Amino acid sequence: MEPQEEAPTPREPVAQPPGASRSQMLTQAEQREGGEVDDASAEGLWELPVELVERRPECGRCSRPQKVCLCPFLPEHPLHISTHLYIIQHPAEENKVLRTVPLLAACLPRDKCKVKIGRRFSEERDPELSAICRSSGTLILYPGAEAANLEEFIIDSPIYPSTIVIIDGTWSQAKDIFYKNSLFRLPKQVQLNTSISSQYVIRTQPTNRCLSTLECAAVALSILEKNISIHETLLRPLQALCSFQLQHGAQIRLSKEHLLRNGLYPKPMPKNKRKLRKMELLINSVKI
Ligand SMILES: [Zn+2]
């Protein structure tokens, strides 16, 4: 699961005709993907001089812009693993600038890492996913009272897990996907009992122990494959991404927990009682 905010990323300036609004500057790709232009704002759009925003060329392996390709930090060959990783990605994650899943996928064999994008899944529309969720060898990584500790679970499990499902999105998106799709209640629910602090320091996270999707996958795979070097290898491109961003103006985003505990939280405390309670729990380090 990804934390919510992103650090500013250096972007190339985009040429816009004077007065052009964002809706008038929809790229061809966005329009193809169903970028919404309502009738009123679309009127007169065709008379504008056409100046399309070009996407910077992306590296075919790591999906980063070619100028900041992270391939030198990826393993030379995809890692040998027997576990299948199934990533359920919220549609909003796909277009984020700082994505960790393409880096993860670039480190793994194609047949071992599948990314499925969407918010709602059903037995009828997603027979492959349903079969995976129904398999007794499948786990879903989602923390909570019902979740077993992955390390302990595999010791006692009669069937060694062959597949792990991970949800990629902000905490609220992941929660929505997990609770609103009954399919995801079928696999055994597991969580990581880790004291590792996130190294993904350029996005604000609820606590220092909230890990990005790539970090979650790295820890889970190193446990399931019983190979600690997997963790190190998968984290290398993420460390490179963070250090590049920091060198180019991104700032270390301290977690909300850190800011609250040290009286550095920059916004007024929420008036909403439920939100306030959540903040208090963060300060007192109670798992939420
Ligand atoms: Zn690359």
Side-chain angles (χ1 to χ4, degrees):
M1 283 154 282
E2 300 282 353
Q4 290 194 341
E5 293 168 36
E6 295 201 356
T9 304
R11 281 175 191 259
E12 280 163 11
V14 172
Q16 291 192 14
S21 70
R22 155 86 186 131
S23 64
Q24 288 166 332
M25 292 300 291
L26 282 175
T27 62
Q28 269 181 330
E30 281 172 313
Q31 292 180 24
R32 270 202 306 275
E33 286 161 17
E36 284 173 24
V37 183
D38 62 61
D39 287 346
S41 66
E43 254 174 56
L45 187 65
W46 314 116
E47 289 153 33
L48 279 174
V50 177
E51 190 164 9
L52 295 171
V53 181
E54 275 182 38
R55 255 190 122 119
R56 286 178 290 175
E58 278 184 358
C59 166
R61 188 177 177 208
C62 70
S63 305
R64 297 279 302 150
Q66 275 171 5
K67 281 186 194 165
V68 287
C69 159
L70 289 175
C71 288
F73 303 95
L74 300 179
E76 200 179 330
H77 302 290
L79 296 178
H80 282 290
I81 53 168
S82 54
T83 310
H84 288 81
L85 196 61
Y86 222 97
I87 301 200
I88 304 298
Q89 188 173 63
H90 189 280
E93 276 302 309
E94 196 193 357
N95 295 319
K96 288 219 169 131
V97 179
L98 299 171
R99 295 167 297 166
T100 62
V101 168
L103 294 177
L104 171 66
C107 295
L108 302 174
R110 281 194 180 177
D111 64 328
K112 293 288 164 55
C113 179
K114 185 144 195 176
V115 181
K116 198 156 171 73
I117 300 165
R119 295 174 64 231
R120 297 290 175 262
F121 303 91
S122 67
E123 303 247 3
E124 302 74 48
R125 277 188 293 135
D126 306 283
E128 186 197 337
L129 181 62
S130 314
I132 284 162
C133 289
R134 291 198 170 279
S135 160
S136 51
T138 299
L139 307 175
I140 186 159
L141 190 68
Y142 190 84
E146 306 280 292
N149 180 330
L150 177 61
E151 262 171 318
E152 289 159 15
F153 176 76
I154 57 172
I155 297 170
D156 301 325
S157 174
I159 299 166
Y160 199 81
S162 59
T163 304
I164 185 155
V165 178
I166 301 182
I167 305 174
D168 181 38
T170 63
W171 285 94
S172 58
Q173 289 163 352
K175 193 174 167 187
D176 174 74
I177 289 177
F178 182 73
Y179 286 107
K180 300 252 173 83
N181 292 287
S182 54
L183 271 183
F184 298 138
R185 239 67 51 66
L186 297 172
K188 176 69 195 168
Q189 189 185 341
V190 292
Q191 63 187 1
L192 302 172
N193 181 16
T194 171
S195 54
I196 304 166
S197 274
S198 175
Q199 302 203 17
Y200 194 28
V201 290
I202 49 181
R203 289 174 90 178
T204 305
Q205 314 197 9
T207 82
N208 285 329
R209 289 177 300 282
C210 289
L211 301 179
S212 65
T213 304
L214 183 145
E215 290 170 296
C216 285
V219 175
L221 284 177
S222 63
I223 294 171
L224 288 165
E225 299 285 317
K226 300 188 168 75
N227 180 353
I228 190 70
S229 74
I230 289 178
H231 184 250
E232 205 177 297
T233 308
L234 291 178
L235 250 55
R236 211 171 291 140
L238 181 73
Q239 287 158 345
L241 172 71
C242 290
S243 92
F244 176 85
Q245 294 290 330
L246 293 172
Q247 281 165 23
H248 290 79
Q251 292 183 347
I252 290 193
R253 300 291 185 107
L254 294 166
S255 71
K256 253 188 205 171
E257 177 191 33
H258 179 93
L259 296 172
L260 285 167
R261 278 167 171 247
N262 294 283
L264 300 169
Y265 190 64
K267 297 177 192 165
M269 293 302 270
K271 292 207 173 79
N272 176 308
K273 274 191 184 163
R274 200 171 53 89
K275 283 190 181 163
L276 195 62
R277 173 80 188 126
K278 254 188 170 178
M279 294 284 224
E280 284 166 5
L281 289 172
L282 262 182
I283 299 172
N284 298 322
S285 232
V286 177
K287 209 165 197 175
I288 53 169

